[in-house]
């Protein structure tokens, strides 16, 4: 297996506070990797350092063997490092198919003139429809995004991310705010994404994490406590103590 995404001694401080503490994280190609840890452990900060939303105080981020530590977010995105983002107002007023087709068109560099060349439009719509089918969203293609149930809206966020053709997809609590009845379905869809998309996911619901992940990294107070298989993590005394509140 090869490593697609890696951090070397990554540090991020806010004033005197150490939010990321010499983190060495390695995500293998095709991984279903989860990042867990208590509230405030630094999970979101780590994702922000990976995407380039935040600059590290020290250390390096390496994507497919290339040092991207100082690279802008859109440059990392072009290299296949993609995170989901919340549906904005523009997308909320569009239909599901329009939103995803627009994201595909943007990737092709067609920008806001995406409807101009008819062939390109048809291609973008075709690709968008394929993404919707993969996520079980095709039946909602002509609905306005804002009219969908919350769980479906979170799926559209994943559809918009897939439109970027990610090699590594970063999901920060993809089921946040989604009712339990819908979150299981959401995770089933995520689990069925093709293996060429490596997934690093943050989730606080342990049932969902243990069902999804093959590899789990536990972050505590900004530092990696342990990284292993779900079986080992579930039995790890320190993890049970700090994370599951035992002992
Ligand atoms: P998690 O996602 O694991 O809940 P975060 O990464 O959001 O944790 O936050 C980790 C710690 O860093 C928290 O104590 C938080 O208050 C702090 N933190 C995060 N972002 C900032 C910021 N921009 N300025 C100051 N402190 C921050
Ligand atoms: Mg967070």
């Amino acid at each position: 297996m090869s490593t697609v995404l890696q951090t070397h001694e990554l540090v991020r401080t806010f004033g005197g506070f150490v939010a990321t503490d010499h983190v060495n994280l390695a995500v293998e190609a095709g991984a279903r990797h989860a990042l867990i840890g208590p509230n405030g452990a630094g999970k979101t900060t780590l994702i922000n350092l990976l995407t380039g939303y935040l600059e590290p105080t020290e250390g390096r981020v390496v994507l497919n063997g290339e040092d991207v530590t100082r690279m802008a977010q859109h440059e990392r995105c072009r290299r296949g490092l993609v995170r989901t983002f919340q549906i904005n107002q523009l997308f909320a007023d569009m239909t599901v198919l329009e939103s995803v087709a627009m994201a595909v068109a943007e990737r092709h560099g067609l920008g806001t003139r995406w409807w101009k060349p008819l062939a390109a439009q048809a291609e973008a719509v075709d690709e968008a429809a394929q993404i919707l089918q993969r996520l079980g969203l095709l039946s909602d293609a002509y609905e306005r995004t804002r009219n969908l149930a919350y769980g479906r809206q979170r799926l559209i966020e994943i559809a918009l991310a897939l439109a970027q053709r990610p090699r590594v997809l970063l999901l920060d609590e993809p089921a946040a705010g989604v009712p339990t009845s819908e979150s299981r379905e959401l995770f089933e869809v995520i689990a069925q994404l093709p293996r060429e998309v490596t997934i690093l996911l943050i989730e606080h619901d342990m049932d969902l994490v243990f069902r999804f992940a093959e590899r789990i990294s536990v972050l505590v107070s900004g530092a990696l406590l342990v990284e292993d298989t779900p079986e080992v993590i579930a039995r790890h005394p320190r993890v049970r103590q700090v994370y599951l509140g035992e002992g």
Side-chain angles (χ1 to χ4, degrees):
M1 278 241 260
S2 64
T3 303
V4 284
L5 182 62
Q6 198 163 14
T7 69
H8 297 278
E9 297 294 327
L10 205 63
V11 174
R12 172 68 201 209
T13 58
F14 295 110
F17 179 78
V18 183
T20 307
D21 190 0
H22 297 88
V23 168
N24 295 298
L25 177 75
V27 180
E28 301 300 322
R32 297 292 179 259
H33 197 133
L35 185 63
I36 68 171
N39 245 335
K43 304 180 296 295
T44 297
T45 301
L46 185 53
I47 295 285
N48 287 336
L49 292 168
L50 293 172
T51 61
Y53 179 78
L54 280 176
E55 274 209 14
T57 310
E58 287 172 37
R60 294 189 297 126
V61 179
V62 176
L63 175 64
N64 288 311
E66 184 182 14
D67 191 319
V68 299
T69 313
R70 304 289 156 204
M71 200 177 274
Q73 291 183 72
H74 70 275
E75 289 289 334
R76 299 184 204 204
C77 187
R78 270 214 338 236
R79 283 164 172 77
L81 184 63
V82 175
R83 76 178 300 168
T84 48
F85 54 94
Q86 294 234 297
I87 295 166
N88 63 31
Q89 203 46 52
L90 171 67
F91 284 139
D93 282 327
M94 294 167 78
T95 69
V96 172
L97 184 61
E98 283 168 346
S99 307
V100 179
M102 175 126 129
V104 171
E106 269 178 19
R107 191 191 82 232
H108 289 310
L110 296 167
T112 51
R113 294 171 297 107
W114 69 285
W115 62 86
K116 280 273 172 66
L118 203 57
Q121 177 190 9
E123 258 173 53
V125 170
D126 270 1
E127 190 178 327
Q130 280 169 31
I131 292 170
L132 295 185
Q133 182 166 34
R134 166 162 282 159
L135 297 179
L137 281 170
L138 211 47
S139 58
D140 291 328
Y142 299 108
E143 281 293 334
R144 280 185 205 285
T145 300
R146 64 150 95 237
N147 293 336
L148 298 183
Y150 200 61
R152 307 289 280 175
Q153 294 197 10
R154 303 303 308 246
L155 267 181
I156 293 165
E157 291 171 8
I158 295 173
L160 293 171
L162 289 180
Q164 320 289 314
R165 284 268 171 91
R167 296 172 76 168
V168 182
L169 181 59
L170 306 174
L171 301 170
D172 189 352
E173 303 201 7
V178 175
T180 327
S181 55
E182 292 174 51
S183 63
R184 188 171 290 210
E185 185 202 338
L186 184 62
F187 262 76
E188 272 163 21
V189 173
I190 295 170
Q192 281 163 21
L193 291 176
R195 278 285 167 170
E196 59 255 34
V197 183
T198 300
I199 300 177
L200 177 63
L201 165 137
I202 296 174
E203 176 54 51
H204 64 270
D205 183 323
M206 283 304 105
D207 276 352
L208 295 175
V209 167
F210 281 94
R211 211 169 317 134
F212 166 83
E214 293 157 356
R215 205 78 199 158
I216 298 178
S217 296
V218 184
L219 207 59
V220 178
S221 304
L224 273 185
L225 173 65
V226 58
E227 190 211 303
D228 219 308
T229 61
E231 295 70 32
V232 173
I233 295 295
R235 282 187 272 110
H236 195 284
R238 252 306 264 154
V239 173
R240 297 185 72 93
Q241 189 189 7
V242 297
Y243 192 63
L244 305 172
E246 291 183 6

